[in-house]
């Protein structure tokens, strides 16, 4: 069993930055891929970024590539999403999730989810 708790969301002006954190419980964190997803009002949950268990491989959605950076600190059982140059269209609830050992962008392959944190970008 893995429990995930996100933090770091908030209200920011366009062009600003936020850093989301995802704290995980459980001893298997180091062996699991991690992902960030977001859901805007009236839209389906969408993939944002993923990182392999080792942290050596990352994948990004085209919409955030070059602006967002996913990372992890396995010693702290924590994953991060650094978001720069934020745009109003980045407004959403952001959730972290864990997958199996392999990195993946597929929502259904993520077994454990956090409760989400709201990010609001004003224009």
């Amino acid at each position: 069993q893995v429990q995930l708790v996100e933090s770091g969301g908030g209200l920011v002006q366009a062009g600003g930055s936020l850093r989301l954190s995802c704290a995980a419980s459980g001893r298997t964190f180091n062996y699991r891929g991690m992902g960030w997803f977001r859901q805007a009002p009236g839209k389906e949950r969408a993939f944002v970024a993923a990182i392999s268990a080792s942290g050596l491989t990352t994948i990004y959605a085209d919409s955030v590539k070059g602006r967002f950076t996913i990372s992890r600190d396995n010693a702290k059982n924590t994953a991060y999403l650094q978001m720069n140059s934020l745009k109003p269209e980045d407004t959403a609830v952001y959730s972290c999730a864990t997958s199996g050992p392999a990195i993946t962008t597929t929502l259904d392959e993520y077994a454990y989810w956090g409760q989400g944190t709201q990010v609001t970008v004003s224009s």
Side-chain angles (χ1 to χ4, degrees):
Q1 192 80 2
V2 177
Q3 292 184 326
L4 304 172
V5 178
E6 301 97 335
S7 61
L11 173 64
V12 64
Q13 288 188 331
S17 298
L18 283 174
R19 188 195 197 202
L20 305 183
S21 298
C22 174
S25 66
R27 294 177 291 178
T28 62
F29 176 82
N30 292 5
Y31 307 103
R32 295 179 176 270
M34 295 291 297
W36 286 95
F37 291 78
R38 66 187 181 185
Q39 187 166 21
K43 295 187 177 181
E44 294 186 350
R45 185 174 283 177
F47 169 76
V48 175
I51 188 167
S52 62
S54 67
L56 295 178
T57 304
T58 57
I59 305 173
Y60 296 93
D62 287 344
S63 59
V64 307
K65 204 171 292 183
R67 299 187 299 122
F68 290 12
T69 302
I70 188 171
S71 61
R72 65 190 295 161
D73 184 339
N74 285 347
K76 295 182 178 180
N77 274 19
T78 303
Y80 304 96
L81 185 68
Q82 177 67 44
M83 306 185 295
N84 298 330
S85 301
L86 282 162
K87 305 175 182 180
E89 51 263 43
D90 293 318
T91 295
V93 174
Y94 284 72
S95 300
C96 65
T98 63
S99 66
I103 189 172
T104 178
T105 65
T106 304
L107 187 149
D108 290 345
E109 295 182 7
Y110 284 85
Y112 298 99
W113 292 80
Q115 82 288 350
T117 185
Q118 177 69 47
V119 171
T120 303
V121 184
S122 63
S123 57

